[in-house]
Amino acid sequence: MAAPQFTAPIAPVNSPAGASPSLRSLFPDIEPACITAVITHDLKAADLYKLDTRVKDSEPTYSLSSTGTFEMNVSRHKAYKVLSSILFPLHTYFTILTAHLPARTAATVYFYRYLTHLATLASEYEWATVLEYHTLFVNRRRNDMLAGSYDGWGASDIGLLSSHVYPHRKQISLSPKGAGSTKKSPSPSSEPCRNFNAGKCESPCAWKRPHTCLAPGCGKEHPFTQHK
């Protein structure tokens, strides 16, 4: 993502009594306490599932909490196993913030930049590492928003990307998929690393595959791009 231009901080919007009736009326399917947590920046990244109205369509189970109240078990939603499990409630999160903020702010632009950024990362890198990046990124932005700054949503965090995401690019295929091919694929432990052969994996291999050339009959310790 391109670095955003500097914008003056937005004065924090005080909501001592929680979400206003007008804001609550815009999101009738979201618990008022969750709306309040969003606009006061108390909602953690791990709790985004609370904004996912699809949770209500599932068959919940209940357990007794330490305070003696019954709580809905939404563990499968907390897992965030796929991109859509994040994007759906994240859209709602940003919509609530946009409705709460003063008109004509650049925050909405930054919100949509982050949605695009997240989807792009998920298409190129292992989802578990993208989710870890997302969790840390969102919680950092919560601190920024407490000070009235929203432009951080419009720029990627290079430090987090380098340590959590970039080493875990998805495996790529260097050969076309042959329809009807009956050749047995080599076992994961013996097949040369395809990312290494594309020049996109450092030693030691993150997938524990041999860093040897994919060229038939070669097997030397250089990538396919350097095969002669």
Side-chain angles (χ1 to χ4, degrees):
M1 293 185 293
Q5 296 179 349
F6 172 78
T7 54
I10 300 170
V13 181
N14 295 323
S15 302
S20 66
S22 60
L23 188 61
R24 290 167 60 177
S25 67
L26 292 174
F27 306 95
D29 296 324
I30 306 297
E31 292 294 329
C34 291
I35 298 176
T36 299
V38 171
I39 63 178
T40 57
H41 314 304
D42 289 330
L43 190 74
K44 298 179 181 179
D47 292 331
L48 274 174
Y49 72 91
K50 295 179 180 180
L51 303 177
D52 193 338
T53 55
R54 298 174 300 176
V55 173
K56 297 181 180 181
D57 297 329
S58 62
E59 296 181 2
T61 58
Y62 294 86
S63 59
L64 189 65
S65 70
S66 58
T67 60
T69 59
F70 283 95
E71 295 181 344
M72 184 170 67
N73 180 6
V74 288
S75 57
R76 78 179 177 89
H77 297 278
K78 287 183 180 181
Y80 303 118
K81 294 182 178 180
V82 293
L83 176 63
S84 63
S85 64
I86 287 291
L87 288 184
F88 192 94
L90 191 58
H91 270 282
T92 302
Y93 178 82
F94 286 147
T95 304
I96 292 173
L97 285 175
T98 300
H100 178 64
L101 290 172
R104 295 186 298 277
T105 69
T108 301
V109 175
Y110 300 148
F111 294 157
Y112 281 97
R113 282 185 186 177
Y114 180 67
L115 290 170
T116 302
H117 175 52
L118 187 63
T120 301
L121 290 177
S123 69
E124 299 178 8
Y125 298 91
E126 298 294 334
W127 171 241
T129 62
V130 175
L131 177 59
E132 186 175 5
Y133 168 82
H134 161 77
T135 301
L136 295 170
F137 186 92
V138 169
N139 289 333
R140 290 186 180 188
R141 300 292 76 77
R142 288 171 53 222
N143 289 330
D144 293 345
M145 291 188 293
L146 283 172
S149 176
Y150 291 79
D151 55 357
W153 289 104
S156 57
D157 191 313
I158 299 301
L160 288 179
L161 287 172
S162 299
S163 59
H164 295 278
V165 179
Y166 287 158
H168 304 284
R169 185 178 291 274
K170 289 181 178 180
Q171 287 277 41
I172 59 173
S173 176
L174 296 179
S175 58
K177 296 181 179 179
S181 175
T182 57
K183 184 177 180 180
K184 185 178 179 180
S185 300
S187 64
S189 61
S190 62
E191 181 182 9
C193 175
R194 294 181 181 272
N195 281 348
F196 167 75
N197 278 272
K200 299 179 179 180
C201 184
E202 297 181 358
S203 297
C205 182
W207 292 271
K208 298 182 180 180
R209 295 175 183 266
H211 276 189
T212 54
C213 183
L214 273 174
C218 182
K220 294 183 179 179
E221 295 182 352
H222 60 245
F224 180 77
T225 55
Q226 297 179 8
H227 180 74
K228 297 180 180 181

mmCIF file of all heavy atoms in Angstrom, residues 38-71:
data_model
loop_
_atom_site.group_PDB
_atom_site.id
_atom_site.type_symbol
_atom_site.label_atom_id
_atom_site.label_comp_id
_atom_site.label_asym_id
_atom_site.label_seq_id
_atom_site.Cartn_x
_atom_site.Cartn_y
_atom_site.Cartn_z
ATOM 1 N N VAL A 38 -16.370 -0.749 19.762
ATOM 2 C CA VAL A 38 -15.741 -0.333 18.499
ATOM 3 C C VAL A 38 -15.387 1.151 18.540
ATOM 4 O O VAL A 38 -14.254 1.538 18.248
ATOM 5 C CB VAL A 38 -16.675 -0.619 17.303
ATOM 6 C CG1 VAL A 38 -16.113 0.018 16.030
ATOM 7 C CG2 VAL A 38 -16.840 -2.115 17.099
ATOM 8 N N ILE A 39 -16.340 1.987 18.911
ATOM 9 C CA ILE A 39 -16.109 3.437 18.832
ATOM 10 C C ILE A 39 -15.200 3.949 19.945
ATOM 11 O O ILE A 39 -14.641 5.050 19.836
ATOM 12 C CB ILE A 39 -17.447 4.218 18.843
ATOM 13 C CG1 ILE A 39 -18.200 4.005 20.163
ATOM 14 C CG2 ILE A 39 -18.295 3.819 17.648
ATOM 15 C CD1 ILE A 39 -19.511 4.801 20.249
ATOM 16 N N THR A 40 -15.032 3.166 21.012
ATOM 17 C CA THR A 40 -14.088 3.547 22.071
ATOM 18 C C THR A 40 -12.754 2.834 21.902
ATOM 19 O O THR A 40 -11.865 2.966 22.744
ATOM 20 C CB THR A 40 -14.666 3.229 23.464
ATOM 21 O OG1 THR A 40 -14.995 1.825 23.542
ATOM 22 C CG2 THR A 40 -15.904 4.062 23.746
ATOM 23 N N HIS A 41 -12.644 2.030 20.811
ATOM 24 C CA HIS A 41 -11.412 1.330 20.453
ATOM 25 C C HIS A 41 -11.000 0.289 21.498
ATOM 26 O O HIS A 41 -9.818 0.027 21.707
ATOM 27 C CB HIS A 41 -10.275 2.328 20.202
ATOM 28 C CG HIS A 41 -10.691 3.475 19.348
ATOM 29 N ND1 HIS A 41 -11.238 3.297 18.092
ATOM 30 C CD2 HIS A 41 -10.682 4.827 19.582
ATOM 31 C CE1 HIS A 41 -11.540 4.487 17.580
ATOM 32 N NE2 HIS A 41 -11.221 5.413 18.457
ATOM 33 N N ASP A 42 -12.006 -0.286 22.147
ATOM 34 C CA ASP A 42 -11.771 -1.351 23.122
ATOM 35 C C ASP A 42 -11.910 -2.741 22.513
ATOM 36 O O ASP A 42 -11.535 -3.730 23.145
ATOM 37 C CB ASP A 42 -12.750 -1.229 24.301
ATOM 38 C CG ASP A 42 -12.443 -0.041 25.200
ATOM 39 O OD1 ASP A 42 -11.258 0.319 25.294
ATOM 40 O OD2 ASP A 42 -13.381 0.526 25.790
ATOM 41 N N LEU A 43 -12.470 -2.843 21.309
ATOM 42 C CA LEU A 43 -12.668 -4.155 20.692
ATOM 43 C C LEU A 43 -11.360 -4.654 20.111
ATOM 44 O O LEU A 43 -10.794 -4.051 19.204
ATOM 45 C CB LEU A 43 -13.728 -4.073 19.582
ATOM 46 C CG LEU A 43 -14.180 -5.439 19.040
ATOM 47 C CD1 LEU A 43 -15.086 -6.134 20.054
ATOM 48 C CD2 LEU A 43 -14.921 -5.268 17.709
ATOM 49 N N LYS A 44 -10.873 -5.781 20.635
ATOM 50 C CA LYS A 44 -9.609 -6.347 20.181
ATOM 51 C C LYS A 44 -9.800 -7.074 18.847
ATOM 52 O O LYS A 44 -10.904 -7.481 18.485
ATOM 53 C CB LYS A 44 -9.067 -7.322 21.224
ATOM 54 C CG LYS A 44 -8.756 -6.684 22.567
ATOM 55 C CD LYS A 44 -8.254 -7.726 23.547
ATOM 56 C CE LYS A 44 -7.959 -7.112 24.909
ATOM 57 N NZ LYS A 44 -7.496 -8.131 25.887
ATOM 58 N N ALA A 45 -8.695 -7.256 18.139
ATOM 59 C CA ALA A 45 -8.750 -7.956 16.847
ATOM 60 C C ALA A 45 -9.321 -9.361 17.008
ATOM 61 O O ALA A 45 -10.055 -9.851 16.153
ATOM 62 C CB ALA A 45 -7.354 -8.016 16.235
ATOM 63 N N ALA A 46 -8.988 -10.028 18.114
ATOM 64 C CA ALA A 46 -9.463 -11.392 18.336
ATOM 65 C C ALA A 46 -10.969 -11.465 18.543
ATOM 66 O O ALA A 46 -11.570 -12.540 18.420
ATOM 67 C CB ALA A 46 -8.752 -11.999 19.549
ATOM 68 N N ASP A 47 -11.600 -10.320 18.840
ATOM 69 C CA ASP A 47 -13.039 -10.303 19.123
ATOM 70 C C ASP A 47 -13.880 -9.788 17.960
ATOM 71 O O ASP A 47 -15.068 -9.504 18.134
ATOM 72 C CB ASP A 47 -13.313 -9.437 20.356
ATOM 73 C CG ASP A 47 -12.760 -10.043 21.630
ATOM 74 O OD1 ASP A 47 -12.670 -11.289 21.692
ATOM 75 O OD2 ASP A 47 -12.414 -9.294 22.558
ATOM 76 N N LEU A 48 -13.291 -9.700 16.782
ATOM 77 C CA LEU A 48 -14.051 -9.218 15.626
ATOM 78 C C LEU A 48 -15.260 -10.101 15.309
ATOM 79 O O LEU A 48 -16.246 -9.628 14.755
ATOM 80 C CB LEU A 48 -13.145 -9.141 14.388
ATOM 81 C CG LEU A 48 -12.343 -7.854 14.189
ATOM 82 C CD1 LEU A 48 -11.408 -8.006 13.001
ATOM 83 C CD2 LEU A 48 -13.257 -6.662 13.997
ATOM 84 N N TYR A 49 -15.181 -11.365 15.674
ATOM 85 C CA TYR A 49 -16.292 -12.284 15.383
ATOM 86 C C TYR A 49 -17.602 -11.800 15.995
ATOM 87 O O TYR A 49 -18.690 -12.162 15.547
ATOM 88 C CB TYR A 49 -15.961 -13.693 15.900
ATOM 89 C CG TYR A 49 -15.997 -13.813 17.407
ATOM 90 C CD1 TYR A 49 -17.167 -14.177 18.064
ATOM 91 C CD2 TYR A 49 -14.875 -13.552 18.173
ATOM 92 C CE1 TYR A 49 -17.207 -14.278 19.449
ATOM 93 C CE2 TYR A 49 -14.906 -13.646 19.557
ATOM 94 C CZ TYR A 49 -16.070 -14.009 20.183
ATOM 95 O OH TYR A 49 -16.109 -14.105 21.548
ATOM 96 N N LYS A 50 -17.524 -10.972 17.033
ATOM 97 C CA LYS A 50 -18.726 -10.464 17.692
ATOM 98 C C LYS A 50 -19.524 -9.543 16.779
ATOM 99 O O LYS A 50 -20.691 -9.238 17.058
ATOM 100 C CB LYS A 50 -18.349 -9.729 18.975
ATOM 101 C CG LYS A 50 -17.727 -10.626 20.038
ATOM 102 C CD LYS A 50 -17.342 -9.855 21.281
ATOM 103 C CE LYS A 50 -16.717 -10.770 22.339
ATOM 104 N NZ LYS A 50 -16.322 -10.034 23.561
ATOM 105 N N LEU A 51 -18.912 -9.083 15.699
ATOM 106 C CA LEU A 51 -19.598 -8.228 14.728
ATOM 107 C C LEU A 51 -20.110 -9.024 13.535
ATOM 108 O O LEU A 51 -20.673 -8.452 12.604
ATOM 109 C CB LEU A 51 -18.648 -7.130 14.230
ATOM 110 C CG LEU A 51 -18.029 -6.228 15.296
ATOM 111 C CD1 LEU A 51 -17.060 -5.248 14.652
ATOM 112 C CD2 LEU A 51 -19.094 -5.496 16.082
ATOM 113 N N ASP A 52 -19.898 -10.331 13.555
ATOM 114 C CA ASP A 52 -20.298 -11.196 12.436
ATOM 115 C C ASP A 52 -21.714 -11.691 12.679
ATOM 116 O O ASP A 52 -21.942 -12.576 13.514
ATOM 117 C CB ASP A 52 -19.320 -12.367 12.316
ATOM 118 C CG ASP A 52 -19.475 -13.110 11.000
ATOM 119 O OD1 ASP A 52 -20.557 -13.019 10.385
ATOM 120 O OD2 ASP A 52 -18.513 -13.788 10.595
ATOM 121 N N THR A 53 -22.677 -11.125 11.979
ATOM 122 C CA THR A 53 -24.070 -11.508 12.181
ATOM 123 C C THR A 53 -24.344 -12.942 11.747
ATOM 124 O O THR A 53 -25.380 -13.505 12.097
ATOM 125 C CB THR A 53 -25.006 -10.569 11.404
ATOM 126 O OG1 THR A 53 -24.635 -10.558 10.013
ATOM 127 C CG2 THR A 53 -24.911 -9.149 11.952
ATOM 128 N N ARG A 54 -23.436 -13.546 11.004
ATOM 129 C CA ARG A 54 -23.627 -14.942 10.590
ATOM 130 C C ARG A 54 -23.508 -15.892 11.770
ATOM 131 O O ARG A 54 -23.963 -17.030 11.706
ATOM 132 C CB ARG A 54 -22.603 -15.315 9.519
ATOM 133 C CG ARG A 54 -22.722 -14.508 8.238
ATOM 134 C CD ARG A 54 -21.595 -14.820 7.295
ATOM 135 N NE ARG A 54 -20.301 -14.521 7.895
ATOM 136 C CZ ARG A 54 -19.125 -14.781 7.311
ATOM 137 N NH1 ARG A 54 -19.115 -15.344 6.109
ATOM 138 N NH2 ARG A 54 -17.990 -14.478 7.909
ATOM 139 N N VAL A 55 -22.879 -15.449 12.861
ATOM 140 C CA VAL A 55 -22.768 -16.288 14.051
ATOM 141 C C VAL A 55 -24.155 -16.643 14.560
ATOM 142 O O VAL A 55 -24.399 -17.740 15.052
ATOM 143 C CB VAL A 55 -21.967 -15.567 15.154
ATOM 144 C CG1 VAL A 55 -21.987 -16.358 16.452
ATOM 145 C CG2 VAL A 55 -20.537 -15.349 14.699
ATOM 146 N N LYS A 56 -25.093 -15.696 14.425
ATOM 147 C CA LYS A 56 -26.445 -15.930 14.910
ATOM 148 C C LYS A 56 -27.174 -16.995 14.100
ATOM 149 O O LYS A 56 -28.152 -17.580 14.556
ATOM 150 C CB LYS A 56 -27.239 -14.624 14.873
ATOM 151 C CG LYS A 56 -26.672 -13.554 15.798
ATOM 152 C CD LYS A 56 -27.508 -12.302 15.751
ATOM 153 C CE LYS A 56 -26.937 -11.238 16.680
ATOM 154 N NZ LYS A 56 -27.754 -9.993 16.678
ATOM 155 N N ASP A 57 -26.690 -17.237 12.883
ATOM 156 C CA ASP A 57 -27.347 -18.224 12.027
ATOM 157 C C ASP A 57 -26.841 -19.636 12.275
ATOM 158 O O ASP A 57 -27.378 -20.602 11.743
ATOM 159 C CB ASP A 57 -27.126 -17.868 10.551
ATOM 160 C CG ASP A 57 -27.748 -16.528 10.201
ATOM 161 O OD1 ASP A 57 -28.772 -16.192 10.823
ATOM 162 O OD2 ASP A 57 -27.203 -15.834 9.329
ATOM 163 N N SER A 58 -25.783 -19.770 13.080
ATOM 164 C CA SER A 58 -25.240 -21.082 13.371
ATOM 165 C C SER A 58 -25.951 -21.679 14.574
ATOM 166 O O SER A 58 -26.796 -21.044 15.204
ATOM 167 C CB SER A 58 -23.736 -20.988 13.656
ATOM 168 O OG SER A 58 -23.516 -20.181 14.795
ATOM 169 N N GLU A 59 -25.647 -22.904 14.877
ATOM 170 C CA GLU A 59 -26.251 -23.567 16.023
ATOM 171 C C GLU A 59 -25.305 -23.430 17.209
ATOM 172 O O GLU A 59 -24.322 -24.162 17.324
ATOM 173 C CB GLU A 59 -26.505 -25.044 15.712
ATOM 174 C CG GLU A 59 -27.522 -25.256 14.583
ATOM 175 C CD GLU A 59 -27.773 -26.720 14.325
ATOM 176 O OE1 GLU A 59 -27.185 -27.547 15.065
ATOM 177 O OE2 GLU A 59 -28.558 -27.046 13.436
ATOM 178 N N PRO A 60 -25.584 -22.490 18.115
ATOM 179 C CA PRO A 60 -24.648 -22.239 19.211
ATOM 180 C C PRO A 60 -24.774 -23.251 20.341
ATOM 181 O O PRO A 60 -25.797 -23.909 20.502
ATOM 182 C CB PRO A 60 -25.069 -20.847 19.696
ATOM 183 C CG PRO A 60 -26.549 -20.810 19.440
ATOM 184 C CD PRO A 60 -26.741 -21.586 18.155
ATOM 185 N N THR A 61 -23.716 -23.357 21.094
ATOM 186 C CA THR A 61 -23.741 -24.111 22.340
ATOM 187 C C THR A 61 -23.425 -23.127 23.454
ATOM 188 O O THR A 61 -22.850 -22.070 23.210
ATOM 189 C CB THR A 61 -22.696 -25.241 22.340
ATOM 190 O OG1 THR A 61 -21.389 -24.667 22.133
ATOM 191 C CG2 THR A 61 -22.975 -26.240 21.232
ATOM 192 N N TYR A 62 -23.796 -23.464 24.650
ATOM 193 C CA TYR A 62 -23.609 -22.539 25.757
ATOM 194 C C TYR A 62 -22.836 -23.202 26.888
ATOM 195 O O TYR A 62 -22.919 -24.418 27.097
ATOM 196 C CB TYR A 62 -24.968 -22.048 26.280
ATOM 197 C CG TYR A 62 -25.720 -21.204 25.278
ATOM 198 C CD1 TYR A 62 -26.541 -21.793 24.317
ATOM 199 C CD2 TYR A 62 -25.590 -19.823 25.278
ATOM 200 C CE1 TYR A 62 -27.221 -21.016 23.388
ATOM 201 C CE2 TYR A 62 -26.274 -19.032 24.350
ATOM 202 C CZ TYR A 62 -27.084 -19.634 23.417
ATOM 203 O OH TYR A 62 -27.741 -18.868 22.496
ATOM 204 N N SER A 63 -22.080 -22.389 27.593
ATOM 205 C CA SER A 63 -21.325 -22.880 28.738
ATOM 206 C C SER A 63 -21.451 -21.888 29.877
ATOM 207 O O SER A 63 -21.704 -20.703 29.666
ATOM 208 C CB SER A 63 -19.847 -23.071 28.368
ATOM 209 O OG SER A 63 -19.287 -21.841 27.938
ATOM 210 N N LEU A 64 -21.263 -22.373 31.102
ATOM 211 C CA LEU A 64 -21.384 -21.534 32.281
ATOM 212 C C LEU A 64 -20.054 -20.830 32.528
ATOM 213 O O LEU A 64 -19.007 -21.467 32.655
ATOM 214 C CB LEU A 64 -21.764 -22.390 33.490
ATOM 215 C CG LEU A 64 -22.133 -21.631 34.777
ATOM 216 C CD1 LEU A 64 -23.402 -20.821 34.552
ATOM 217 C CD2 LEU A 64 -22.328 -22.624 35.922
ATOM 218 N N SER A 65 -20.080 -19.490 32.585
ATOM 219 C CA SER A 65 -18.863 -18.713 32.776
ATOM 220 C C SER A 65 -18.487 -18.664 34.248
ATOM 221 O O SER A 65 -19.240 -19.121 35.126
ATOM 222 C CB SER A 65 -19.053 -17.291 32.253
ATOM 223 O OG SER A 65 -19.938 -16.581 33.098
ATOM 224 N N SER A 66 -17.340 -18.088 34.530
ATOM 225 C CA SER A 66 -16.860 -17.981 35.906
ATOM 226 C C SER A 66 -17.723 -17.048 36.745
ATOM 227 O O SER A 66 -17.700 -17.102 37.968
ATOM 228 C CB SER A 66 -15.410 -17.474 35.915
ATOM 229 O OG SER A 66 -15.323 -16.211 35.259
ATOM 230 N N THR A 67 -18.502 -16.189 36.072
ATOM 231 C CA THR A 67 -19.367 -15.258 36.801
ATOM 232 C C THR A 67 -20.758 -15.817 37.032
ATOM 233 O O THR A 67 -21.625 -15.146 37.588
ATOM 234 C CB THR A 67 -19.479 -13.935 36.029
ATOM 235 O OG1 THR A 67 -20.037 -14.188 34.726
ATOM 236 C CG2 THR A 67 -18.122 -13.271 35.881
ATOM 237 N N GLY A 68 -20.982 -17.062 36.568
ATOM 238 C CA GLY A 68 -22.274 -17.694 36.775
ATOM 239 C C GLY A 68 -23.289 -17.426 35.691
ATOM 240 O O GLY A 68 -24.464 -17.772 35.833
ATOM 241 N N THR A 69 -22.856 -16.808 34.580
ATOM 242 C CA THR A 69 -23.765 -16.546 33.469
ATOM 243 C C THR A 69 -23.461 -17.496 32.321
ATOM 244 O O THR A 69 -22.359 -18.035 32.217
ATOM 245 C CB THR A 69 -23.623 -15.097 32.975
ATOM 246 O OG1 THR A 69 -22.263 -14.880 32.546
ATOM 247 C CG2 THR A 69 -23.962 -14.115 34.085
ATOM 248 N N PHE A 70 -24.455 -17.684 31.449
ATOM 249 C CA PHE A 70 -24.266 -18.560 30.300
ATOM 250 C C PHE A 70 -23.714 -17.754 29.127
ATOM 251 O O PHE A 70 -24.214 -16.672 28.816
ATOM 252 C CB PHE A 70 -25.583 -19.231 29.905
ATOM 253 C CG PHE A 70 -25.971 -20.357 30.812
ATOM 254 C CD1 PHE A 70 -26.838 -20.147 31.875
ATOM 255 C CD2 PHE A 70 -25.438 -21.624 30.630
ATOM 256 C CE1 PHE A 70 -27.189 -21.189 32.724
ATOM 257 C CE2 PHE A 70 -25.773 -22.668 31.473
ATOM 258 C CZ PHE A 70 -26.652 -22.444 32.527
ATOM 259 N N GLU A 71 -22.672 -18.292 28.486
ATOM 260 C CA GLU A 71 -22.062 -17.636 27.347
ATOM 261 C C GLU A 71 -22.136 -18.532 26.123
ATOM 262 O O GLU A 71 -22.002 -19.759 26.231
ATOM 263 C CB GLU A 71 -20.594 -17.300 27.632
ATOM 264 C CG GLU A 71 -20.415 -16.272 28.738
ATOM 265 C CD GLU A 71 -18.946 -15.948 28.974
ATOM 266 O OE1 GLU A 71 -18.100 -16.726 28.500
ATOM 267 O OE2 GLU A 71 -18.664 -14.936 29.626
#
